[in-house]
Amino acid sequence: MRGGEYPDGQYYAVDQIAAGNMALYEGKYSQALEHFRHVQDLKVTTKFFLHWIWRMTAHLESSNAWLLSGNIVNARSAADGFLESALSIADPHLQALAWDLKARVAMAENDSAGAREHIQQAITIVDKFEILVAAWQVYATAWQLCQQVKEHKTAETNRQQAETCILKIANSFAPDEPLRATFLAAAPVRRIMGEIVVNKGALAA
């Protein structure tokens, strides 16, 4: 165990998820999946307090990796497993992300009806609980779905909802906090913000 409160297993899990997300961002899907597998595999990672959260995070990101790689069959299977796990615990953040993932898989399968049903489940959760990190992602998916089915007015409403959540998150940081700039620079966030100038003045509360 390292000095301090947490065992080596937690540091290892954080390192592997960070490395997996970096590989995902670079389009190295096989490499990303390997990093996430290391967190999910109890034979590799020593259990520690709240280890299940990191395992579920790795499960979610593995599902994203399969989806982004174009392997819809594996993405669907992973999404089904993640939803089952999320529904077994009382965590609205994970449940919202699970339904959002299901919606994105359905969109990849051109199943608009299924995607609509799944994203509505997610919206119901984020409208009930103040979970901004999940909420902006859910509304972003709803925006993309409505664009896909040419419901442009509703799409813009969902984009504005996502934007509002993003601004609340950004303004919860101090103006000079590096994480604020990193968050606003992320490609999915920039797509939502559109032409808004994401600088300190424009986003000040």
Side-chain angles (χ1 to χ4, degrees):
M1 180 180 294
R2 296 186 184 184
E5 183 178 354
Y6 303 110
D8 280 346
Q10 180 154 337
Y11 291 104
Y12 179 79
V14 172
D15 288 346
Q16 288 297 305
I17 288 176
N21 282 328
M22 180 62 70
L24 202 59
Y25 179 78
E26 295 173 349
K28 300 175 181 177
Y29 303 121
S30 295
Q31 185 176 325
L33 286 163
E34 186 67 12
H35 287 299
F36 298 139
R37 185 186 64 78
H38 288 166
V39 180
Q40 292 177 268
D41 191 348
L42 288 176
K43 296 178 181 178
V44 176
T45 308
T46 304
K47 289 187 69 175
F48 52 85
F49 181 62
L50 295 181
H51 182 220
W52 64 272
I53 292 179
W54 295 106
R55 289 186 67 202
M56 289 195 68
T57 299
H59 191 164
L60 172 63
E61 297 302 347
S62 292
S63 305
N64 284 324
W66 286 122
L67 184 58
L68 289 170
S69 72
N71 191 325
I72 308 304
V73 173
N74 282 1
R76 187 194 316 117
S77 177
D80 288 344
F82 183 71
L83 177 62
E84 182 179 357
S85 296
L87 293 178
S88 71
I89 58 176
D91 188 321
H93 174 82
L94 290 175
Q95 290 176 2
L97 292 179
W99 285 115
D100 176 80
L101 174 61
K102 287 280 291 180
R104 289 186 286 115
V105 171
M107 287 169 65
E109 296 176 316
N110 294 315
D111 177 9
S112 297
R116 195 185 297 272
E117 178 182 343
H118 299 324
I119 203 61
Q120 187 55 54
Q121 292 275 10
I123 288 173
T124 298
I125 295 171
V126 299
D127 281 351
K128 182 177 180 181
F129 300 94
E130 189 171 2
I131 42 177
L132 295 175
V133 174
W136 82 261
Q137 297 175 76
V138 167
Y139 284 117
T141 299
W143 169 52
Q144 293 166 357
L145 173 60
C146 289
Q147 284 186 315
Q148 190 178 86
V149 297
K150 302 187 185 309
E151 296 177 1
H152 300 299
K153 185 176 180 180
T154 305
E156 177 57 17
T157 298
N158 285 314
R159 191 203 64 79
Q160 290 175 1
Q161 291 273 44
E163 178 186 298
T164 297
C165 295
I166 288 169
L167 291 173
K168 286 181 179 179
I169 294 170
N171 290 326
S172 70
F173 294 111
D176 58 350
E177 168 57 53
L179 287 175
R180 182 178 189 272
T182 299
F183 171 62
L184 291 172
V189 171
R190 287 190 281 109
R191 281 196 293 271
I192 290 294
M193 301 305 288
E195 297 302 317
I196 290 179
V197 179
V198 287
N199 58 34
K200 297 176 184 177
L203 298 183

